[in-house]
Amino acid sequence: MIGYLENGPLELDGIPMRNRFTLLCIAVTALASLDPSAGIAETWKRHTIDSSDRVAGKRGADGVRTLDVNGDGRLDITTGWEEGGAVVVYLNPGPDQVHKQWPSVTVGSVKGVEDAVSIDLDKDGAIDVVSCAEGKINSIFVHWAPMSPTKYLRAESWKTEAFPESTGRRWMFALPMDMNQDGRVDLVIGSKNTDAVIGWLENPPNSKDTTSWKLHTLAKASWIMSIQAVDLNADNFPDILYSDRFGKQAGIYWLKNPGHTSAEWERQLIGGQGKQVMFLTSGKLSTTDQAPTIICATLTGELLCYKAESTGNWTETILALPFGLKAGKGVAIADVNGDHRPDVVTTAEAQREKKDMVAVAWKENGTNGWVDHAISDQRGRKFDRLEMMDLDGDGDLDLITCEEVHDLGVFWYENPTR
């Protein structure tokens, strides 16, 4: 059709163009607000870092942890493949190559690996890997890295050893942290089920001697899901923040760092008692916030938000997972769209309650309240921890995560904002 001007606005099929523009905006808004179960398209493009490979032991990617392991200024990824047993480090190739599969090395094979994290345990300059295992193995392992950078990507150059003090418990998570301020990095660790604890493995003077690492118990537990080091009381000492999923211990807890004393780490319940709390995060939801907000996903569709009061108590606010999802897993606080207001990004187990739901989404911290946006499409069943960083160098934050059941592997979603 050809529009024409005749003493008035441009028309097309008898409808003024400004009205057509209004109708178009309404249609776009309606499409953007569709329930993901109604077939909304994937809004962020997914790029595979490493796909499932049963022959190589890469089945059931279970978590992503980040650290610059080769000193090039880019964050790399460490992942344990639970069903296959592969413990893998992925080297970030830089903005020009991140859309392809990343260079990687399988540093060891650990059946039932639940968590893997990179850290230089022996201070030799080479970044090692620590993995936690449950199932039949029930131990914590260190994968010693080769000293030579040229051998870092050679699997045969890595050496795997267990910590004898950890044997016999079903370990779920490890956090590198100098607990006794002796200059050596210790390991805060959490287990589940029988004799579950949250505790720490003390790094001895000879870090290479795994038989000398000593286990210290901090508190009894039921099923540790997440551990973070956060200074919650602004005393310049990192505290331990953790989520315990099941049983009488279920809830979100704070272990207060005693500072320059030998006192015990005092435990305080923050909230979520009796709820199936999953992964948590902490950060500021407003540029005016003085204290961080703690957010934890649950298996019942709630995002539990806690903010410290001057009285020492915690104020609880509950948000719903995006689009009515129930089985929450990972959560992060990040400015997704560059408006300088921190948003909330989540992952979930998409099809526990309802099929064809998106599992990766974000809640926009809008001026008039929270607005839900899809990131993934309906592919994938069980997603896990997530990390937000600018991978492609375009100035916005992309999302890294993994999927355990439908063999999506380790991947990242490209933020379309810029």
Side-chain angles (χ1 to χ4, degrees):
M1 295 291 181
I2 300 176
Y4 59 92
L5 281 171
E6 186 177 273
N7 296 325
L10 181 66
E11 293 188 358
L12 189 63
D13 284 347
I15 303 176
M17 287 300 289
R18 64 185 181 190
N19 292 349
R20 279 183 163 268
F21 179 75
T22 302
L23 290 172
L24 178 61
C25 291
I26 293 172
V28 170
T29 302
L31 285 172
S33 63
L34 280 176
D35 186 315
S37 63
I40 190 169
E42 180 176 325
T43 55
W44 291 25
K45 186 174 182 179
R46 178 164 53 88
H47 302 280
T48 299
I49 292 171
D50 195 10
S51 55
S52 180
D53 185 341
R54 294 173 184 247
V55 176
K58 295 176 182 178
R59 289 185 56 224
D62 196 10
V64 291
R65 307 286 290 274
T66 59
L67 186 75
D68 179 7
V69 303
N70 56 358
D72 64 0
R74 297 189 289 264
L75 290 175
D76 308 296
I77 300 172
T78 309
T79 295
W81 294 74
E82 183 178 0
E83 281 73 31
V87 181
V88 186
V89 174
Y90 301 96
L91 298 186
N92 187 334
D96 295 336
Q97 300 294 321
V98 290
H99 301 88
K100 304 176 182 178
Q101 290 204 352
W102 293 16
S104 67
V105 57
T106 297
V107 304
S109 178
V110 176
K111 296 296 182 183
V113 58
E114 276 287 342
D115 179 55
V117 60
S118 290
I119 187 68
D120 183 2
L121 280 187
D122 55 357
K123 301 183 71 172
D124 65 354
I127 304 299
D128 314 299
V129 173
V130 172
S131 61
C132 298
E134 61 156 338
K136 295 181 180 180
I137 293 184
N138 294 343
S139 192
I140 295 176
F141 296 85
V142 56
H143 310 273
W144 298 111
M147 283 290 296
S148 172
T150 61
K151 295 182 179 180
Y152 202 84
L153 290 181
R154 298 179 185 176
E156 66 274 11
S157 299
W158 291 73
K159 180 182 178 181
T160 298
E161 292 183 310
F163 293 102
E165 277 275 286
S166 70
T167 302
R169 287 188 171 96
R170 305 182 71 175
W171 297 104
M172 302 297 292
F173 203 88
L175 173 73
M177 182 177 176
D178 184 359
M179 292 289 289
N180 52 3
Q181 302 173 59
D182 64 357
R184 295 188 294 269
V185 179
D186 310 297
L187 296 171
V188 183
I189 50 178
S191 61
K192 76 174 187 180
N193 294 357
T194 304
D195 297 326
V197 298
I198 182 168
W200 60 289
L201 281 171
E202 182 179 356
N203 193 339
N206 180 11
S207 303
K208 286 283 192 180
D209 182 9
T210 57
T211 63
S212 297
W213 287 66
K214 184 179 180 180
L215 175 63
H216 303 272
T217 298
L218 293 169
K220 292 182 178 179
S222 296
W223 184 331
I224 298 298
M225 282 297 299
S226 187
I227 308 173
Q228 281 197 354
V230 185
D231 183 5
L232 291 172
N233 54 356
D235 63 355
N236 295 319
F237 292 102
D239 307 300
I240 295 174
L241 175 66
Y242 72 94
S243 55
D244 194 346
R245 176 176 171 181
F246 271 137
K248 295 180 180 180
Q249 308 293 329
I252 302 165
Y253 292 92
W254 168 20
L255 288 167
K256 297 180 182 179
N257 192 328
H260 296 298
T261 72
S262 59
E264 294 185 358
W265 291 62
E266 178 187 349
R267 185 174 76 160
Q268 179 186 100
L269 176 69
I270 293 175
Q273 191 169 27
K275 297 185 178 181
Q276 286 202 50
V277 289
M278 305 301 281
F279 293 110
L280 54 73
T281 191
S282 62
K284 295 181 179 180
L285 287 178
S286 169
T287 54
T288 61
D289 284 351
Q290 298 299 312
T293 295
I294 298 165
I295 304 181
C296 187
T298 71
L299 278 184
T300 52
E302 297 173 316
L303 289 170
L304 305 177
C305 308
Y306 297 96
K307 197 169 184 180
E309 299 176 344
S310 57
T311 58
N313 296 321
W314 296 82
T315 300
E316 179 186 81
T317 303
I318 297 178
L319 299 175
L321 278 171
F323 305 114
L325 287 166
K326 296 299 181 186
K329 287 298 293 292
V331 61
I333 298 172
D335 180 5
V336 174
N337 55 357
D339 64 358
H340 305 294
R341 287 191 297 270
D343 309 296
V344 178
V345 190
T346 63
T347 63
E349 297 183 37
Q351 298 170 14
R352 275 200 176 201
E353 302 294 331
K354 186 178 180 181
K355 291 185 177 181
D356 300 325
M357 294 286 286
V358 301
V360 186
W362 65 288
K363 298 181 77 71
E364 180 185 358
N365 189 357
T367 55
N368 296 316
W370 296 96
V371 182
D372 295 347
H373 301 273
I375 292 177
S376 69
D377 63 5
Q378 296 88 349
R379 287 169 289 181
R381 163 71 165 78
K382 187 179 180 183
F383 294 76
D384 211 86
R385 290 189 78 255
L386 66 110
E387 296 284 349
M388 299 294 295
M389 66 184 73
D390 183 8
L391 285 176
D392 51 5
D394 63 357
D396 55 25
L397 298 177
D398 308 298
L399 186 153
I400 302 173
T401 189
C402 61
E403 194 277 331
E404 189 174 347
V405 175
H406 286 176
D407 291 337
L408 295 186
V410 183
F411 50 89
W412 63 284
Y413 290 106
E414 184 175 352
N415 189 335
T417 299
R418 294 195 172 103

